[in-house]
């Protein structure tokens, strides 16, 4: 029998001690029943990658069945929550023998990643995002996967994908439409415009804005308040709200993977990335 070559890695490539995601379950500042998921790649402003998605899949499975964890706080280390995406490991480059096969491979990889994001977003435990600094691209999408979002006054939010020729590929524009309305989702995703924490609060994207030094104390205080309530009731409420709010999301995410794959193999995407790297305006041709 010939060897089977996998076109997409689903297990973490790095040893756990080198992961950029760290799960803390015994921090004194968090309090009983509260765990923290730390995005810990500060030198890259916690930029996300395929490898980070694989790590998230592993950690979400641990959190789901850990009865000690009643609430999860997600935060970034360093100067940002998450400033977007990183190309990741060399072996994570999506390839194919033709543009069609490359698009198919990308779409299938993205569908797998979407399944991991859904597992994270639908954890039985409520998730509180503590956002500071840059929360851009996938960082914004990750924050939108959380149940409640607190922001430091210095937080900046954006979905800049259209400015580099890519579709929003992790459901951020749909979650934004759910929370802020379709008009705001289209405005922010179609322009790539950045908004500050005060605007994010005004449109319902974040639930409170605090001084940067108060962000973690406020997030942990909120988490402890939730954790003190009956776990079965808390989890039932989260599930009921999600079932109502996310109706239609699964179907839309399937389409999102295919649309993102189309932009992935377009000529506009490399032109957009090159322009961004050169700090100049991109000239898109729509092909």
């Amino acid at each position: 029998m010939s060897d089977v070559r996998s076109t997409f890695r689903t297990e973490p490539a790095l040893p756990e001690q080198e992961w950029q995601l760290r799960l803390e379950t015994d921090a004194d500042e968090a309090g009983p029943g509260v765990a923290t998921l730390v995005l810990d790649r500060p030198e890259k402003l916690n930029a996300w990658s395929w490898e980070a998605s694989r790590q998230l899949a592993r950690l979400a499975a641990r959190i789901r069945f850990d009865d000690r964890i009643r609430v999860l706080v997600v935060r970034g280390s360093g100067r940002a929550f998450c400033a977007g995406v990183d190309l990741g490991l060399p072996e994570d480059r999506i390839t194919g023998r033709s543009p069609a096969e490359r698009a198919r491979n990308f779409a299938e990889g993205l569908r797998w990643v979407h399944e991991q994001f859904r597992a994270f977003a639908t954890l039985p435990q409520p998730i509180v995002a503590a956002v500071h600094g840059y929360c851009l691209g996938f960082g914004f999408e990750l924050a939108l996967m959380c149940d409640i979002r607190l922001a430091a006054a210095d937080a900046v939010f954006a979905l800049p994908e259209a400015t580099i020729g890519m579709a929003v590929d992790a459901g951020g524009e749909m979650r934004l439409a759910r929370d802020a309305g379709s008009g705001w989702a289209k405005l922010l995703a179609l322009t790539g415009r950045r908004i500050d924490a005060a605007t994010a609060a005004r449109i319902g994207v974040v639930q409170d804005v605090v001084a940067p030094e108060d962000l973690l104390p406020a997030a942990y205080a909120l988490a402890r308040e939730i954790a003190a309530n009956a776990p079965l009731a808390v989890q039932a409420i989260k599930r009921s709200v999600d079932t109502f709010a996310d109706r239609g999301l699964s179907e839309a995410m399937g389409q999102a993977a295919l649309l993102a794959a189309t932009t992935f193999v377009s000529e506009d995407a490399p032109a957009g990335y090159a322009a961004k790297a050169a700090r100049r305006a991109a000239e898109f041709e729509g092909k």
Side-chain angles (χ1 to χ4, degrees), residues 113-188:
V113 168
H114 287 172
E115 292 167 4
Q116 313 319 308
F117 294 159
R118 183 179 185 278
F120 170 73
T122 61
L123 282 170
Q125 299 95 334
I127 308 171
V128 176
V131 180
H132 76 288
Y134 290 124
C135 184
L136 310 178
F138 180 78
F140 196 2
E141 297 189 86
L142 179 64
L144 289 166
M145 293 178 204
C146 300
D147 298 298
I148 301 171
R149 291 165 289 278
L150 303 185
D154 65 356
V156 179
F157 302 83
L159 292 174
E161 285 84 351
T163 67
I164 54 172
M166 287 294 295
V168 181
D169 60 13
E173 79 280 43
M174 290 175 275
R175 291 186 170 94
L176 186 57
R178 174 197 65 193
D179 291 348
S182 60
W184 276 107
K186 291 175 182 177
L187 174 64
L188 297 182

Coordinates of all heavy atoms in Angstrom, one line a residue, residues 113-188:
V113 N -10.7 24.3 10.2 CA -10.5 25.4 11.2 C -11.8 25.9 11.7 O -11.9 26.2 12.9 CB -9.6 26.4 10.6 CG1 -9.5 27.7 11.5 CG2 -8.2 25.9 10.3
H114 N -12.7 26.1 10.8 CA -14.1 26.6 11.3 C -14.7 25.7 12.3 O -15.3 26.2 13.3 CB -15.0 26.7 10.1 CG -14.7 27.9 9.2 ND1 -15.3 28.1 8.0 CD2 -13.8 28.9 9.3 CE1 -14.9 29.2 7.4 NE2 -13.9 29.7 8.2
E115 N -14.5 24.4 12.1 CA -15.0 23.4 13.1 C -14.4 23.6 14.5 O -15.0 23.5 15.5 CB -14.8 22.0 12.6 CG -15.7 21.7 11.4 CD -15.2 20.4 10.7 OE1 -14.3 19.7 11.2 OE2 -15.7 20.0 9.6
Q116 N -13.1 23.9 14.5 CA -12.4 24.2 15.7 C -12.8 25.5 16.4 O -13.0 25.5 17.6 CB -10.9 24.2 15.5 CG -10.3 23.0 14.7 CD -11.0 21.7 14.9 OE1 -11.0 21.2 16.1 NE2 -11.5 21.0 13.9
F117 N -13.1 26.5 15.6 CA -13.5 27.7 16.1 C -14.9 27.6 16.7 O -15.3 28.2 17.7 CB -13.6 28.8 15.0 CG -12.2 29.2 14.5 CD1 -12.1 29.8 13.3 CD2 -11.1 29.0 15.3 CE1 -10.8 30.2 12.8 CE2 -9.8 29.4 14.8 CZ -9.7 30.0 13.6
R118 N -15.8 26.8 16.0 CA -17.1 26.5 16.5 C -17.0 25.8 17.9 O -17.8 26.1 18.8 CB -17.9 25.7 15.5 CG -19.4 25.5 16.0 CD -20.2 24.8 15.0 NE -21.6 24.7 15.4 CZ -22.1 23.8 16.3 NH1 -21.2 22.9 16.8 NH2 -23.3 23.8 16.6
A119 N -16.1 24.8 18.0 CA -16.0 24.1 19.2 C -15.5 25.1 20.4 O -16.0 24.9 21.5 CB -14.9 23.0 19.1
F120 N -14.7 26.0 20.0 CA -14.3 27.0 21.0 C -15.4 27.9 21.4 O -15.7 28.1 22.6 CB -13.1 27.8 20.5 CG -12.7 29.0 21.3 CD1 -12.1 28.8 22.5 CD2 -13.0 30.3 20.9 CE1 -11.7 29.9 23.3 CE2 -12.7 31.4 21.7 CZ -12.0 31.2 22.9
A121 N -16.1 28.5 20.4 CA -17.1 29.5 20.7 C -18.3 28.9 21.4 O -19.0 29.6 22.1 CB -17.6 30.1 19.3
T122 N -18.5 27.6 21.2 CA -19.7 26.9 21.8 C -19.3 26.1 23.0 O -20.0 25.2 23.5 CB -20.4 26.0 20.8 OG1 -19.5 25.0 20.3 CG2 -20.9 26.8 19.6
L123 N -18.1 26.4 23.6 CA -17.8 25.7 24.9 C -18.9 25.9 25.9 O -19.6 27.0 25.9 CB -16.5 26.3 25.5 CG -15.2 25.9 24.9 CD1 -14.0 26.8 25.4 CD2 -14.9 24.4 25.2
P124 N -19.2 25.0 26.8 CA -20.3 25.2 27.7 C -20.0 26.4 28.7 O -20.9 27.0 29.1 CB -20.3 23.9 28.5 CG -19.0 23.2 28.2 CD -18.6 23.7 26.9
Q125 N -18.7 26.6 28.9 CA -18.3 27.7 29.8 C -18.4 29.1 29.1 O -17.9 29.2 28.0 CB -16.9 27.5 30.4 CG -16.7 26.2 31.2 CD -16.2 25.1 30.3 OE1 -16.4 25.1 29.1 NE2 -15.5 24.2 30.9
P126 N -18.9 30.1 29.8 CA -18.9 31.4 29.2 C -17.4 31.9 29.0 O -16.6 31.5 29.8 CB -19.6 32.3 30.2 CG -20.5 31.3 31.0 CD -19.7 30.1 31.0
I127 N -17.2 32.7 27.9 CA -15.9 33.2 27.6 C -15.9 34.7 27.7 O -16.7 35.3 27.0 CB -15.4 32.7 26.2 CG1 -15.6 31.2 26.1 CG2 -14.0 33.1 25.9 CD1 -15.4 30.7 24.7
V128 N -15.0 35.3 28.4 CA -14.9 36.7 28.5 C -13.6 37.2 27.9 O -12.5 36.7 28.2 CB -14.9 37.2 30.0 CG1 -14.6 38.7 30.1 CG2 -16.2 36.8 30.7
A129 N -13.7 38.0 26.9 CA -12.5 38.6 26.2 C -12.1 39.9 26.9 O -12.9 40.8 27.1 CB -12.8 38.8 24.7
A130 N -10.8 40.0 27.2 CA -10.2 41.2 27.7 C -9.3 41.7 26.6 O -8.2 41.2 26.4 CB -9.4 40.9 29.0
V131 N -9.8 42.8 26.0 CA -9.1 43.3 24.7 C -8.3 44.5 25.0 O -8.9 45.5 25.5 CB -10.1 43.5 23.6 CG1 -9.4 44.0 22.4 CG2 -10.9 42.2 23.3
H132 N -7.1 44.6 24.6 CA -6.3 45.8 24.7 C -5.5 45.9 23.4 O -5.2 45.0 22.7 CB -5.4 45.8 25.9 CG -4.2 44.9 25.8 ND1 -4.2 43.5 25.7 CD2 -2.9 45.2 25.6 CE1 -3.0 43.0 25.6 NE2 -2.2 44.0 25.5
G133 N -5.1 47.1 23.1 CA -4.2 47.4 21.9 C -4.9 46.9 20.7 O -6.1 47.0 20.5
Y134 N -4.1 46.4 19.7 CA -4.6 46.0 18.4 C -5.5 44.8 18.5 O -5.1 43.8 19.1 CB -3.5 45.8 17.4 CG -2.7 47.0 17.0 CD1 -1.3 47.1 17.2 CD2 -3.4 48.1 16.4 CE1 -0.6 48.2 16.8 CE2 -2.7 49.2 16.1 CZ -1.3 49.3 16.2 OH -0.7 50.4 15.9
C135 N -6.7 44.9 17.9 CA -7.6 43.7 17.8 C -8.0 43.8 16.4 O -9.1 44.2 16.0 CB -8.7 43.9 18.8 SG -9.9 42.5 18.9
L136 N -7.2 43.3 15.5 CA -7.3 43.4 14.1 C -7.5 42.1 13.3 O -6.9 41.1 13.7 CB -6.1 44.2 13.5 CG -5.7 45.4 14.2 CD1 -4.4 46.0 13.5 CD2 -6.8 46.5 14.2
G137 N -8.3 42.1 12.3 CA -8.4 40.9 11.4 C -8.9 39.7 12.3 O -9.9 39.8 12.9
F138 N -8.1 38.6 12.3 CA -8.5 37.5 13.0 C -8.6 37.8 14.5 O -9.4 37.2 15.2 CB -7.6 36.3 12.8 CG -8.0 35.1 13.7 CD1 -9.1 34.3 13.2 CD2 -7.5 34.8 14.9 CE1 -9.5 33.3 14.0 CE2 -7.9 33.8 15.7 CZ -9.0 33.0 15.2
G139 N -7.8 38.7 15.0 CA -7.9 39.1 16.4 C -9.3 39.6 16.8 O -9.9 39.2 17.8
F140 N -9.9 40.4 15.9 CA -11.3 40.8 16.0 C -12.3 39.7 15.9 O -13.2 39.6 16.7 CB -11.6 41.9 15.0 CG -12.8 42.7 15.2 CD1 -13.6 42.6 16.3 CD2 -13.2 43.7 14.3 CE1 -14.7 43.4 16.6 CE2 -14.3 44.5 14.5 CZ -15.1 44.4 15.6
E141 N -12.0 38.8 15.0 CA -12.9 37.6 14.8 C -12.8 36.7 16.1 O -13.9 36.2 16.5 CB -12.4 36.8 13.6 CG -12.6 37.6 12.3 CD -12.4 36.7 11.1 OE1 -13.3 36.1 10.6 OE2 -11.3 36.7 10.6
L142 N -11.6 36.5 16.7 CA -11.5 35.7 17.9 C -12.3 36.4 19.0 O -13.0 35.7 19.8 CB -10.1 35.6 18.3 CG -9.8 34.8 19.6 CD1 -10.3 33.3 19.4 CD2 -8.3 34.8 19.9
A143 N -12.2 37.7 19.2 CA -12.9 38.4 20.2 C -14.4 38.2 20.0 O -15.2 38.1 21.0 CB -12.6 39.9 20.2
L144 N -14.9 38.2 18.8 CA -16.3 38.1 18.5 C -16.8 36.7 18.8 O -18.0 36.4 18.9 CB -16.6 38.5 17.0 CG -16.5 40.0 16.7 CD1 -16.4 40.2 15.2 CD2 -17.7 40.7 17.4
M145 N -15.9 35.7 18.9 CA -16.3 34.3 19.2 C -16.5 34.2 20.7 O -17.1 33.2 21.2 CB -15.2 33.3 18.8 CG -14.9 33.2 17.4 SD -13.6 32.0 17.1 CE -13.0 32.6 15.4
C146 N -16.1 35.2 21.5 CA -16.3 35.2 22.9 C -17.7 35.7 23.3 O -18.3 36.4 22.5 CB -15.2 36.0 23.6 SG -13.5 35.4 23.3
D147 N -18.1 35.4 24.5 CA -19.5 35.7 24.9 C -19.7 37.1 25.3 O -20.7 37.8 25.0 CB -20.0 34.8 26.0 CG -19.9 33.3 25.6 OD1 -20.7 33.0 24.6 OD2 -19.2 32.5 26.1
I148 N -18.7 37.6 26.0 CA -18.7 39.0 26.6 C -17.4 39.6 26.3 O -16.3 39.0 26.5 CB -19.1 39.0 28.1 CG1 -20.4 38.4 28.3 CG2 -19.1 40.4 28.6 CD1 -20.7 38.1 29.8
R149 N -17.3 40.9 25.9 CA -16.1 41.5 25.6 C -15.9 42.8 26.4 O -16.8 43.7 26.4 CB -16.0 41.9 24.1 CG -15.9 40.6 23.2 CD -16.2 40.9 21.8 NE -17.6 41.2 21.5 CZ -18.5 40.3 21.4 NH1 -18.2 39.0 21.5 NH2 -19.8 40.6 21.2
L150 N -14.8 42.9 27.1 CA -14.4 44.1 27.8 C -13.2 44.7 27.1 O -12.3 43.9 26.6 CB -14.0 43.9 29.3 CG -15.1 43.2 30.2 CD1 -14.6 43.1 31.6 CD2 -16.4 43.9 30.1
A151 N -13.1 46.0 26.9 CA -12.0 46.6 26.2 C -11.3 47.7 27.0 O -12.0 48.4 27.7 CB -12.5 47.2 24.9
A152 N -10.0 47.7 26.9 CA -9.3 48.8 27.4 C -9.5 50.0 26.5 O -9.8 49.9 25.3 CB -7.8 48.5 27.5
A153 N -9.3 51.2 27.0 CA -9.6 52.4 26.3 C -8.7 52.6 25.1 O -9.0 53.3 24.1 CB -9.5 53.7 27.2
D154 N -7.5 51.8 25.1 CA -6.6 51.9 24.0 C -6.8 50.9 22.9 O -6.1 50.7 21.9 CB -5.1 51.8 24.5 CG -4.8 50.4 25.1 OD1 -5.8 49.6 25.2 OD2 -3.7 50.2 25.5
A155 N -7.9 50.1 23.0 CA -8.2 49.0 22.0 C -8.6 49.6 20.7 O -9.3 50.6 20.6 CB -9.2 48.1 22.6
V156 N -8.1 48.9 19.6 CA -8.5 49.3 18.3 C -8.9 48.1 17.5 O -8.3 47.1 17.5 CB -7.2 49.9 17.5 CG1 -7.6 50.3 16.1 CG2 -6.7 51.1 18.3
F157 N -10.1 48.2 16.9 CA -10.7 47.1 16.2 C -10.8 47.3 14.7 O -11.1 48.5 14.2 CB -12.1 46.9 16.7 CG -12.2 46.6 18.2 CD1 -12.2 47.7 19.1 CD2 -12.3 45.3 18.7 CE1 -12.3 47.5 20.5 CE2 -12.3 45.1 20.1 CZ -12.4 46.2 21.0
A158 N -10.6 46.3 13.9 CA -10.8 46.4 12.4 C -10.8 45.0 11.8 O -10.3 44.1 12.3 CB -9.6 47.2 11.8
L159 N -11.5 45.0 10.6 CA -11.5 43.8 9.7 C -10.9 44.3 8.4 O -11.6 44.8 7.5 CB -12.9 43.3 9.5 CG -13.6 42.6 10.7 CD1 -15.0 42.2 10.3 CD2 -12.8 41.4 11.2
P160 N -9.5 44.3 8.3 CA -8.9 44.9 7.1 C -8.7 44.0 5.9 O -8.0 44.4 4.9 CB -7.5 45.3 7.7 CG -7.2 44.2 8.7 CD -8.6 43.9 9.3
E161 N -9.3 42.9 5.9 CA -9.1 41.9 4.8 C -9.3 42.4 3.4 O -8.5 42.1 2.5 CB -9.9 40.6 5.1 CG -9.4 39.7 6.2 CD -9.9 40.2 7.6 OE1 -10.5 41.3 7.7 OE2 -9.7 39.4 8.5
A162 N -10.4 43.2 3.2 CA -10.7 43.7 1.9 C -9.6 44.6 1.3 O -9.4 44.7 0.1 CB -12.0 44.4 1.9
T163 N -8.8 45.2 2.2 CA -7.8 46.2 1.8 C -6.5 45.4 1.3 O -5.7 46.0 0.6 CB -7.3 47.1 2.9 OG1 -6.7 46.3 4.0 CG2 -8.5 47.8 3.5
I164 N -6.5 44.1 1.5 CA -5.4 43.3 1.0 C -5.9 42.2 0.0 O -5.1 41.3 -0.3 CB -4.5 42.7 2.1 CG1 -5.4 41.9 3.1 CG2 -3.7 43.7 2.8 CD1 -4.5 41.1 4.1
G165 N -7.1 42.3 -0.4 CA -7.6 41.4 -1.4 C -8.1 40.1 -0.9 O -8.3 39.1 -1.7
M166 N -8.4 40.0 0.4 CA -8.9 38.7 0.9 C -10.3 38.9 1.5 O -10.7 39.9 2.0 CB -8.0 38.2 2.0 CG -6.6 37.7 1.6 SD -6.8 36.2 0.6 CE -7.4 35.0 1.8
A167 N -11.1 37.8 1.5 CA -12.4 37.7 2.2 C -12.1 37.6 3.7 O -11.1 37.1 4.1 CB -13.2 36.6 1.6
V168 N -13.1 38.0 4.5 CA -13.0 37.7 5.9 C -13.3 36.2 6.0 O -14.4 35.7 5.6 CB -14.1 38.5 6.7 CG1 -14.0 38.2 8.1 CG2 -13.8 40.0 6.4
D169 N -12.4 35.4 6.6 CA -12.5 34.0 6.4 C -12.8 33.2 7.7 O -12.9 32.0 7.6 CB -11.2 33.4 5.8 CG -10.0 33.7 6.6 OD1 -10.1 34.0 7.8 OD2 -8.9 33.5 6.1
A170 N -13.0 33.8 8.8 CA -13.4 33.1 10.0 C -14.7 33.5 10.6 O -15.0 33.2 11.7 CB -12.3 33.3 11.1
G171 N -15.6 34.1 9.8 CA -16.9 34.4 10.2 C -17.1 35.7 11.0 O -18.1 36.0 11.5
G172 N -16.0 36.6 11.0 CA -16.1 37.8 11.8 C -17.1 38.8 11.3 O -17.8 39.4 12.1
E173 N -17.3 38.9 10.0 CA -18.3 39.8 9.5 C -19.7 39.4 9.8 O -20.6 40.2 10.1 CB -18.2 40.0 8.0 CG -18.7 38.9 7.1 CD -17.8 37.7 6.9 OE1 -17.2 37.3 7.9 OE2 -17.7 37.2 5.8
M174 N -19.9 38.0 9.9 CA -21.3 37.5 10.3 C -21.5 37.7 11.8 O -22.6 38.1 12.2 CB -21.4 36.0 9.8 CG -21.4 35.9 8.3 SD -21.4 34.1 7.9 CE -19.7 33.8 7.8
R175 N -20.5 37.4 12.6 CA -20.7 37.6 14.0 C -20.9 39.1 14.3 O -21.6 39.5 15.2 CB -19.5 37.0 14.8 CG -19.5 35.5 14.7 CD -18.4 35.0 15.6 NE -18.5 33.5 15.8 CZ -17.9 32.6 15.0 NH1 -17.1 33.0 14.0 NH2 -18.1 31.3 15.2
L176 N -20.2 40.0 13.5 CA -20.3 41.4 13.7 C -21.7 41.8 13.3 O -22.4 42.7 14.0 CB -19.3 42.1 12.8 CG -19.2 43.7 13.0 CD1 -18.9 44.0 14.4 CD2 -18.1 44.2 12.1
A177 N -22.3 41.3 12.2 CA -23.7 41.6 11.9 C -24.6 41.1 12.9 O -25.6 41.8 13.2 CB -24.0 40.9 10.5
R178 N -24.4 40.0 13.6 CA -25.2 39.5 14.6 C -25.2 40.5 15.8 O -26.3 40.8 16.4 CB -24.7 38.1 15.1 CG -25.4 37.5 16.3 CD -24.5 36.4 16.9 NE -23.3 36.9 17.4 CZ -22.2 36.2 17.8 NH1 -22.3 34.8 17.6 NH2 -21.1 36.7 18.2
D179 N -24.0 41.0 16.2 CA -23.9 41.8 17.4 C -24.2 43.3 17.2 O -24.6 44.0 18.1 CB -22.5 41.6 18.0 CG -22.4 40.2 18.6 OD1 -23.4 39.5 18.7 OD2 -21.2 39.8 18.9
A180 N -23.8 43.8 16.0 CA -23.9 45.2 15.7 C -24.8 45.6 14.6 O -25.1 46.8 14.5 CB -22.5 45.8 15.4
G181 N -25.3 44.6 13.9 CA -26.2 44.9 12.8 C -25.5 44.8 11.4 O -24.3 45.0 11.4
S182 N -26.2 44.5 10.4 CA -25.6 44.3 9.1 C -24.9 45.6 8.5 O -23.9 45.5 7.8 CB -26.6 43.8 8.1 OG -27.7 44.7 7.9
G183 N -25.5 46.7 8.8 CA -24.9 48.0 8.3 C -23.5 48.2 8.8 O -22.6 48.5 8.1
W184 N -23.3 48.0 10.1 CA -22.0 48.2 10.7 C -21.0 47.1 10.2 O -19.9 47.4 9.9 CB -22.0 48.2 12.2 CG -22.4 49.5 12.8 CD1 -23.5 49.9 13.4 CD2 -21.5 50.6 12.9 NE1 -23.5 51.2 13.8 CE2 -22.2 51.7 13.5 CE3 -20.2 50.9 12.5 CZ2 -21.7 53.0 13.7 CZ3 -19.6 52.1 12.7 CH2 -20.4 53.2 13.3
A185 N -21.5 45.9 10.1 CA -20.7 44.8 9.6 C -20.2 45.1 8.2 O -19.0 45.0 7.8 CB -21.5 43.5 9.6
K186 N -21.1 45.6 7.3 CA -20.7 45.9 5.9 C -19.8 47.2 5.9 O -18.8 47.2 5.2 CB -21.9 46.2 5.1 CG -22.7 44.9 4.8 CD -24.0 45.3 4.1 CE -24.8 44.0 3.8 NZ -26.1 44.3 3.2
L187 N -20.1 48.2 6.7 CA -19.2 49.4 6.8 C -17.8 49.0 7.1 O -16.8 49.4 6.5 CB -19.8 50.4 7.7 CG -18.9 51.6 8.0 CD1 -18.8 52.4 6.7 CD2 -19.5 52.5 9.1
L188 N -17.6 48.2 8.2 CA -16.3 47.9 8.7 C -15.6 46.9 7.8 O -14.4 47.1 7.5 CB -16.4 47.4 10.2 CG -16.9 48.4 11.2 CD1 -16.9 47.8 12.6 CD2 -16.1 49.7 11.2

